[in-house]
C-alpha cells in the first residue's frame, strides 16, 4: 500500500462506520473531526465518493468535487507550485505556529517574481483575479503537501491542520464606489475604516445526516453556511444531527467597512459608502472599530434581510460583500491610504532644513488673517508628542488638546475645518448634533447579534477629532473625560464590557454663553464647563473682537484681497531674534495641503524626540514660576500642566525634525502658553494678590469671606 493510501485511510471521519466518501477528511475546515479553524466560502453541494487518485496529500479536502486529472492545467500548476514552495519552506518551519493559525501568508508581489512562477505560471496574478477560489485552493494544497511530506517530518502530519494561503499586497486597491456587479466572483483589495464589528459565531460548513433505513452517516456540505437537504438515501430524506461527530464549524465574524474619503474626493449630498466583510478562521478578531484596514478577498453576493417580509418577494435582490482572505491593519499613524513616495521624502527633507514651523502655520487656513499663535498651537496638536511608556509599562499620553473660545465671526469653525482637512486622519463633528454615543461607542442589536459601532473619537484614533459648537453639547461633555486623559473608551452595557482605543487630539471651538465673552467672569462661567474638563486642555485660546486701528487696517486689506483673488495681506519681515509670534508672521512660504498632510504623517511616524537638559531647565523654571503665582487661583496649576509643556515641546521639535528638543523649542512653547495665560487672566478686571488680575466672581467670594470673619469676630451681623 502506498503512503498516500495509508494517509487517506488514516484521515477518515470519526463516525460509526468508515465510508469511502470520508477519505481525505482532515482536521481543518473541510474534513474530519469538528474544527474551529478556517474554511472556504463555498463547498460542494452533494457528498462525493470520488476515489483519491491524486499524488497530493489532502486533495479531497481542497477539491472534494473534482477528480484529479494528471494532464489538466490544474495539475500542471500544482507541480510548479509544489516545487516553488519546496524551495521556500525549510525544515525549521514553525509547525506549532502554523497549527495554531491554520494559515500561511504569501506576499504576492515577491512571490510572482520567483523564477519558477515567472516561467511556469506567468499569468498567476490574472488567474488570482478572475478565478480566485481555485487559485487559492491550489496555493493552499501545494503548501499543505510540502508540509506533509516525509522530508518535513511525518510527526507533523498528525497535528497539522489544513493550511489556508493568505495573499497579501494584492494591488490595485478598489474604491468602494467602484464595487459593482462586474466584480462578482473576483479577487479585490478594499480600503476603509472599520465602523461595526459583530460577535464571533460558529458557522456550520458540514452538517451530520443519518439515514433512518440503512443507518448510514455522512457529512452534507452547506454552501456559504446556508441550510440545504442532501439527496435522498434509500428513498427517504436523511435526518439531520446537529451535534453529530461529522458536523464541522468554523469561526465567523462580520464587520462593516466605511470608505475613507479625502477632501478632494468628497461628493456633495452623499453619505460614505459601506460594505460588509466576512472574516473566518484566524482572521476573526483582527479588526477593531475605528481601525483603518486593507482587506483582500473574494467579492460575493447574498440576499438582503431574510427576516423582512419583503425579502420573500425580492429574491432577485442581492447585496455585495467581501469574503476576506487577508487583513492588513494600518500600522503607521494616520491614513494608510496616504502614499508617501521617495520624491515626497526628498521634498519633506528640504522643507525641514528651512523653517517648517512658520511655513506650516502660514499655510494653515490662509483665508483667516492673524491668530498666528492659535494656528501654531493647532499645528503642535496635529503633530503630537513622542509616544512612550514608563518603566512600569504605563502609557503616557502624547496627544495635546486645544480649546478655542471667542466671539462669533472670528473664524473658529474655519480653523477647525482646515485642521481636519490637513490632518492625516481627521474627523469633524458639530456639537449641537452630536450625542454621547455618536462621540464614543454604540452597542446595538442586529437581530440576535450584538454589534459595536465606532463613534467619532474612535474613528479618529491616531488622529484628531475637531468638535465645533463645543458649548452646545449639553450633558455630553462627561463622555470626553476618559478619552481625553486615558485615551480609551470603556463600555459596559447589556452584559458586554470592553475598552476601545481613542488616541486622538481633541480640538474644540466654543462660543461663550450669551454670544459674547464676559470679561467679568471666569472661563468656566462663560462656557458652563466643569473644571475637570477644562484642565484636560493643554492650550485654551480666547479670541475677542476688540477695536484696533492697526489690526483692523491689515484685516480689511486681507479680506478685500482674498475676495479679489489676490494673495492676502502680510506683515513685514522681522528679525529672527524677535519673539515667536513676529517670527511666524514674517514667514511667507506656503505649503501645498497634500504635502502638508504628508509632512505631518511623516514626522509623526519617524521622529521620536527627547528633551535636552536646556529644555528641561526652561520648562522647570516656568512651571515653578506659574505654580507659585497661581496658588490662590480657582483652577490651580498641577503636574498636568507640566506634562502639557513636555508634550508641546516634543511637538515643536518634531515639526523641525529634531531628535532632541532644544532650549529654543521650550522657549517657543512657553511663549504660546504665556499667551494663553494672558488671555485667561487679562480679560478679567480687578487686581488680585501679587498683581494678578482678578475676576468679579473671585473678588465677590473674597469679600463674603472677609465679612464672615468680621461677623464672627464682632458677634454681629450688621455692617
Amino acid at each position: 500500500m502506498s503512503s498516500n493510501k495509508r494517509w487517506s485511510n488514516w484521515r477518515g471521519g470519526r463516525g460509526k462506520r468508515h465510508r469511502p466518501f470520508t477519505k481525505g477528511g482532515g482536521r481543518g475546515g473541510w474534513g474530519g473531526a469538528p474544527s474551529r479553524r478556517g474554511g472556504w466560502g463555498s463547498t460542494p453541494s452533494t457528498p462525493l465518493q470520488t476515489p483519491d487518485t491524486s499524488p497530493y496529500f489532502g486533495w479531497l479536502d481542497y477539491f472534494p468535487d473534482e477528480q484529479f486529472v494528471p494532464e489538466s492545467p490544474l495539475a500542471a500548476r500544482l507541480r510548479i507550485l509544489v516545487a516553488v514552495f519546496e524551495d521556500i519552506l525549510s525544515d525549521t518551519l514553525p509547525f506549532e505556529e502554523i497549527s495554531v493559525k491554520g494559515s500561511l501568508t504569501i506576499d504576492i508581489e515577491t512571490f510572482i517574481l520567483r523564477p519558477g512562477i515567472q516561467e511556469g505560471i506567468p499569468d498567476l496574478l490574472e488567474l488570482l483575479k478572475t478565478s480566485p477560489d481555485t487559485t487559492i485552493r491550489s496555493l493552499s494544497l501545494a503548501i499543505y503537501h510540502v508540509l506533509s511530506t516525509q522530508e518535513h517530518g511525518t510527526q507533523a502530519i498528525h497535528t497539522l491542520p489544513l493550511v489556508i494561503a493568505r495573499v497579501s499586497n494584492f494591488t490595485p486597491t478598489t474604491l468602494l464606489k467602484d464595487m459593482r456587479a462586474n466584480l462578482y466572483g473576483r479577487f479585490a483589495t478594499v480600503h476603509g475604516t472599520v465602523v461595526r464589528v459583530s460577535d464571533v459565531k460558529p458557522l456550520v460548513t458540514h452538517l451530520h445526516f443519518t439515514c433512518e433505513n440503512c443507518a448510514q452517516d455522512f457529512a452534507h456540505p452547506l454552501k456559504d453556511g446556508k441550510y440545504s437537504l442532501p439527496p435522498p438515501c434509500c428513498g427517504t430524506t436523511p435526518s439531520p444531527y446537529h451535534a453529530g461527530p461529522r458536523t464541522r464549524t468554523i469561526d465567523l465574524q462580520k464587520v462593516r467597512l466605511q470608505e475613507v474619503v479625502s477632501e478632494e474626493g468628497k461628493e456633495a449630498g452623499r453619505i460614505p459608502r459601506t460594505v460588509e466583510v466576512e472574516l473566518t478562521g484566524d482572521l476573526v478578531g483582527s479588526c477593531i472599530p475605528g481601525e483603518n484596514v486593507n482587506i483582500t478577498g473574494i467579492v460575493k453576493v447574498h440576499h438582503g434581510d431574510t427576516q423582512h417580509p419583503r425579502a420573500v418577494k425580492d429574491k432577485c435582490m442581492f447585496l455585495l460583500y467581501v469574503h476576506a482572505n487577508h487583513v492588513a491593519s494600518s500600522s503607521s499613524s494616520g491614513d494608510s491610504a496616504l502614499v508617501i513616495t521617495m520624491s515626497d521624502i526628498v521634498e519633506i527633507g528640504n522643507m525641514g532644513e528651512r523653517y517648517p514651523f512658520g511655513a506650516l502655520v502660514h499655510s494653515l487656513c490662509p483665508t483667516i488673517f492673524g491668530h498666528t499663535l492659535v494656528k501654531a498651537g493647532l499645528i503642535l496638536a496635529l503633530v503630537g508628542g513622542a509616544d512612550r511608556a514608563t518603566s512600569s509599562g504605563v502609557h503616557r499620553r502624547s496627544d495635546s488638546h486645544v480649546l478655542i473660545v471667542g466671539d462669533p465671526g472670528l473664524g473658529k469653525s474655519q480653523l477647525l475645518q482646515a485642521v481636519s482637512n490637513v490632518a492625516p486622519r481627521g474627523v469633524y463633528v458639530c456639537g449641537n448634533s452630536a450625542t454621547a454615543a455618536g462621540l464614543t461607542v454604540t452597542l446595538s442589536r442586529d437581530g440576535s447579534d450584538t454589534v459595536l459601532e465606532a463613534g467619532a473619537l474612535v474613528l479618529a484614533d491616531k488622529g484628531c477629532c475637531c468638535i465645533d459648537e463645543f458649548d452646545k453639547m449639553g450633558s455630553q461633555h462627561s463622555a470626553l473625560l476618559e478619552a481625553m486623559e486615558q485615551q480609551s473608551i470603556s463600555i459596559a452595557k447589556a452584559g458586554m464590557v470592553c475598552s476601545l482605543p481613542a488616541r486622538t487630539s481633541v480640538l474644540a471651538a466654543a462660543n461663550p454663553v450669551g454670544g459674547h465673552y464676559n470679561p467679568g467672569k471666569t472661563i468656566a462661567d462663560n462656557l458652563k464647563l466643569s473644571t475637570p474638563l477644562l484642565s484636560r486642555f493643554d492650550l485654551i485660546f480666547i479670541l475677542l473682537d476688540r477695536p484696533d486701528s492697526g489690526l483692523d487696517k491689515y484685516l480689511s486689506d486681507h479680506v478685500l484681497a482674498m475676495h479679489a483673488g489676490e494673495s492676502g495681506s502680510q506683515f513685514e519681515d522681522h528679525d529672527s531674534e524677535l519673539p515667536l509670534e513676529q517670527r511666524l508672521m514674517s514667514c511667507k512660504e506656503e505649503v501645498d495641503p497634500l504635502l502638508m498632510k504628508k509632512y505631518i504623517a511623516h514626522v509623526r511616524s519617524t521622529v521620536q524626540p527627547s528633551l535636552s537638559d536646556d529644555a528641561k531647565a526652561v520648562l522647570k523654571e516656568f512651571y515653578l514660576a506659574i505654580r507659585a503665582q497661581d496658588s490662590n487661583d480657582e483652577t490651580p496649576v498641577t503636574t498636568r500642566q507640566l506634562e502639557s509643556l513636555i508634550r508641546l515641546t516634543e511637538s515643536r521639535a518634531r515639526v523641525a525634525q529634531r531628535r532632541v528638543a532644544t532650549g529654543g523649542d521650550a522657549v517657543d512653547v512657553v511663549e504660546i502658553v504665556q499667551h494663553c495665560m494672558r488671555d485667561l487672566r487679562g480679560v478679567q478686571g480687578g487686581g488680585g494678590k501679587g498683581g494678578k488680575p482678578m475676576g468679579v466672581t473671585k473678588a465677590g467670594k473674597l469679600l463674603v469671606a472677609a465679612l464672615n470673619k468680621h461677623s464672627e469676630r464682632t458677634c454681629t451681623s450688621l455692617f
Side-chain angles (χ1 to χ4, degrees):
M1 182 180 294
S2 64
S3 59
N4 189 26
K5 298 304 178 183
R6 292 197 302 270
W7 167 250
S8 299
N9 291 335
W10 179 84
R11 291 184 64 83
R14 297 191 302 176
K16 299 179 180 179
R17 304 176 184 177
H18 289 285
R19 297 294 177 185
F21 59 84
T22 61
K23 183 169 57 174
R27 298 180 59 212
W30 298 284
S35 172
R36 292 182 61 83
R37 307 196 195 280
W40 302 107
S42 59
T43 49
S45 58
T46 57
L48 299 178
Q49 299 185 8
T50 306
D52 189 0
T53 60
S54 71
Y56 301 105
F57 290 124
W59 168 269
L60 291 183
D61 294 321
Y62 292 94
F63 297 96
D65 56 345
E66 225 175 296
Q67 187 171 357
F68 180 77
V69 180
E71 297 81 11
S72 64
L74 176 60
R77 289 195 295 268
L78 277 174
R79 286 191 292 268
I80 298 173
L81 291 175
V82 168
V84 171
F85 281 114
E86 284 178 348
D87 295 336
I88 297 176
L89 304 177
S90 61
D91 294 334
T92 59
L93 196 71
F95 288 102
E96 294 183 0
E97 180 180 352
I98 295 180
S99 63
V100 171
K101 293 181 58 178
S103 65
L104 192 65
T105 303
I106 302 172
D107 189 345
I108 196 64
E109 291 184 352
T110 58
F111 185 75
I112 60 176
L113 298 179
R114 302 190 70 87
I117 300 299
Q118 288 183 333
E119 298 173 2
I121 319 177
D123 58 342
L124 180 61
L125 271 181
E126 186 63 25
L127 288 173
L128 186 61
K129 184 178 180 180
T130 57
S131 305
D133 190 70
T134 303
T135 306
I136 294 177
R137 288 175 186 265
S138 303
L139 292 170
S140 305
L141 176 58
I143 297 172
Y144 187 78
H145 177 76
V146 172
L147 296 178
S148 302
T149 54
Q150 181 69 28
E151 289 77 13
H152 291 80
T154 55
Q155 73 279 1
I157 295 178
H158 303 282
T159 59
L160 186 67
L162 294 183
V163 181
I164 303 175
R166 305 287 187 197
V167 179
S168 64
N169 290 333
F170 181 80
T171 54
T173 301
T174 303
L175 300 178
L176 293 189
K177 67 178 182 180
D178 297 332
M179 285 194 65
R180 296 291 185 266
N182 58 342
L183 288 180
Y184 170 63
R186 290 178 173 261
F187 207 59
T189 299
V190 294
H191 169 75
T193 304
V194 179
V195 296
R196 193 174 191 178
V197 176
S198 69
D199 288 339
V200 179
K201 288 191 173 184
L203 176 68
V204 178
T205 58
H206 292 73
L207 186 60
H208 185 117
F209 280 87
T210 302
C211 179
E212 300 294 342
N213 296 331
C214 62
Q216 179 181 357
D217 299 328
F218 57 89
H220 175 62
L222 305 180
K223 186 177 182 180
D224 293 336
K226 297 178 181 178
Y227 181 78
S228 61
L229 293 174
C233 181
C234 303
T236 59
T237 302
S239 302
Y241 180 27
H242 294 83
R246 299 183 187 275
T247 298
R248 280 165 274 159
T249 61
I250 58 173
D251 287 334
L252 173 68
Q253 186 179 36
K254 295 182 180 181
V255 301
R256 179 176 295 173
L257 209 64
Q258 178 179 296
E259 65 178 345
V260 179
V261 183
S262 61
E263 183 65 21
E264 297 79 11
K266 284 185 178 179
E267 301 177 29
R270 179 182 290 276
I271 63 175
R273 300 172 179 86
T274 59
V275 65
E276 298 288 338
V277 180
E278 286 189 356
L279 308 178
T280 56
D282 59 301
L283 297 182
V284 166
S286 59
C287 297
I288 59 175
E291 190 175 19
N292 279 8
V293 294
N294 286 326
I295 295 182
T296 305
I298 305 175
V299 180
K300 297 185 177 182
V301 296
H302 63 76
H303 285 289
D305 188 7
T306 56
Q307 299 178 354
H308 198 274
R310 291 188 57 188
V312 180
K313 300 180 181 180
D314 300 336
K315 288 188 176 181
C316 294
M317 297 298 294
F318 294 94
L319 298 177
L320 288 175
Y321 75 97
V322 179
H323 183 80
N325 175 263
H326 182 265
V327 177
S329 300
S330 174
S331 57
S332 61
S333 67
D335 185 6
S336 61
L338 188 65
V339 179
I340 301 179
T341 62
M342 288 302 299
S343 60
D344 294 332
I345 294 178
V346 173
E347 194 169 357
I348 288 172
N350 296 334
M351 182 178 168
E353 295 175 358
R354 302 190 294 272
Y355 187 43
F357 192 33
L360 294 177
V361 171
H362 179 69
S363 304
L364 179 64
C365 195
T367 57
I368 298 299
F369 177 77
H371 304 323
T372 307
L373 292 184
V374 178
K375 295 180 181 180
L378 293 175
I379 290 293
L380 295 182
L382 271 178
V383 175
D387 190 6
R388 293 192 184 93
T390 61
S391 57
S392 59
V394 179
H395 178 75
R396 184 172 65 89
R397 175 163 69 94
S398 60
D399 297 304
S400 302
H401 308 306
V402 179
L403 175 63
I404 304 175
V405 184
D407 298 335
L410 296 180
K412 301 185 296 297
S413 300
Q414 294 186 43
L415 285 173
L416 291 187
Q417 289 180 347
V419 168
S420 64
N421 293 335
V422 300
R425 189 175 186 183
V427 176
Y428 177 86
V429 296
C430 198
N432 54 9
S433 60
T435 62
L439 289 174
T440 55
V441 181
T442 304
L443 184 66
S444 58
R445 293 281 184 182
D446 185 7
S448 59
D449 295 339
T450 303
V451 295
L452 285 174
E453 295 187 8
L457 292 173
V458 179
L459 293 177
D461 185 39
K462 295 184 180 180
C464 71
C465 180
C466 302
I467 306 177
D468 199 5
E469 305 292 344
F470 194 66
D471 55 300
K472 308 293 192 305
M473 293 178 60
S475 60
Q476 318 298 337
H477 295 119
S478 59
L480 301 174
L481 295 177
E482 181 187 6
M484 293 179 66
E485 187 62 32
Q486 279 73 36
Q487 294 195 304
S488 63
I489 293 177
S490 302
I491 184 173
K493 296 179 181 178
M496 178 179 290
V497 180
C498 64
S499 179
L500 297 177
R503 296 157 293 185
T504 178
S505 297
V506 175
L507 312 178
N511 290 320
V513 177
H516 293 278
Y517 196 92
N518 188 352
K521 297 181 180 179
T522 63
I523 184 172
D525 295 332
N526 272 282
L527 296 179
K528 301 299 182 183
L529 297 178
S530 62
T531 301
L533 181 63
L534 289 175
S535 66
R536 281 167 166 77
F537 285 100
D538 299 75
L539 297 173
I540 300 178
F541 295 99
I542 297 180
L543 307 181
L544 298 180
D545 190 8
R546 291 173 173 173
D548 188 328
S549 59
L551 186 61
D552 290 344
K553 177 182 177 299
Y554 279 113
L555 179 60
S556 59
D557 292 342
H558 178 83
V559 173
L560 292 174
M562 295 300 298
H563 279 275
E566 304 171 358
S567 59
S569 175
Q570 298 290 339
F571 286 102
E572 297 178 356
D573 291 343
H574 293 272
D575 189 84
S576 59
E577 298 297 329
L578 293 176
L580 173 66
E581 185 173 8
Q582 297 184 6
R583 282 185 280 126
L584 293 176
M585 289 178 180
S586 65
C587 183
K588 297 182 180 180
E589 181 181 359
E590 291 190 3
V591 183
D592 181 73
L594 181 59
L595 177 62
M596 190 174 178
K597 179 182 293 188
K598 293 181 179 180
Y599 186 90
I600 295 174
H602 179 74
V603 296
R604 282 180 65 97
S605 59
T606 58
V607 182
Q608 297 292 331
S610 58
L611 297 181
S612 63
D613 294 337
D614 294 340
K616 293 178 182 178
V618 172
L619 297 182
K620 181 179 179 181
E621 181 182 358
F622 177 70
Y623 171 72
L624 294 178
I626 62 175
R627 176 77 173 175
Q629 295 177 4
D630 222 44
S631 57
N632 293 328
D633 199 5
E634 291 181 354
T635 307
V637 177
T638 62
T639 54
R640 185 173 285 174
Q641 278 67 34
L642 179 59
E643 293 177 352
S644 300
L645 292 171
I646 296 174
R647 283 191 294 270
L648 294 172
T649 305
E650 293 173 346
S651 303
R652 178 64 185 90
R654 256 187 174 179
V655 172
Q657 302 185 34
R658 283 193 285 266
R659 304 289 178 179
V660 178
T662 63
D665 297 331
V667 171
D668 289 348
V669 170
V670 166
E671 184 174 342
I672 296 176
V673 175
Q674 284 179 335
H675 175 78
C676 295
M677 296 179 65
R678 284 196 300 268
D679 287 345
L680 288 175
R681 298 172 180 174
V683 298
Q684 299 175 3
K689 186 177 180 180
K692 292 191 309 174
M694 184 183 302
V696 174
T697 303
K698 184 176 179 181
K701 290 182 178 180
L702 293 178
L703 176 61
V704 172
L707 293 176
N708 288 332
K709 289 183 180 180
H710 179 74
S711 175
E712 292 176 359
R713 186 170 59 253
T714 60
C715 298
T716 179
S717 58
L718 299 176
F719 305 100

